[in-house]
Each structure stands twice: as C-alpha cells, then as structure tokens.
Amino acid sequence: MPAGTGLVVVFLLLSLAAPLVLYALVRSERDQRVETDRETAERLARRDTDDESRTR
C-alpha cells in the first residue's frame, strides 16, 4: 500500500506544479514581446499577405 500512497503524492505534486510552470512560461513570453504602434503593426501584418491575392 505505501507504493500506492507514493504514487498519489507524486501525482498531486505534478498536478500542482504543472499550472505554475505553464504560468511561468507564458509570463516570460509576455515580458519579451515587442510593442509597436498601429501604423507599424499594420505594415507588418500586410507583409504576411500576398499582394496578388488581395482584391481591392
């Protein structure tokens, strides 16, 4: 029975640690973002599209 108790303890520790690790990863990614103004963001977004496929 002690092996079952140990397994439950390990599972509980992992279930508590996983969200904290995920939060830390998301938080570190947010701190590395580059903020741009609207004009620059629009220009960068247009670079991702093919000009020939756009209709006006």
Side-chain angles (χ1 to χ4, degrees):
M1 199 60 153
T5 304
L7 186 62
V8 169
V9 169
V10 169
F11 178 75
L12 287 174
L13 288 175
L14 288 176
S15 67
L16 292 173
L20 296 174
V21 170
L22 182 61
Y23 177 79
L25 290 172
V26 170
R27 182 76 183 213
S28 69
E29 182 176 301
R30 187 194 70 159
D31 293 339
Q32 296 174 6
R33 70 180 173 199
V34 175
E35 294 185 15
T36 60
D37 61 347
R38 184 179 181 99
E39 182 179 330
T40 304
E42 287 177 357
R43 189 179 72 243
L44 291 172
R46 280 193 214 104
R47 283 194 337 202
D48 291 340
T49 59
D50 184 17
D51 288 334
E52 295 175 7
S53 66
R54 274 200 267 163
T55 58
R56 292 187 187 230

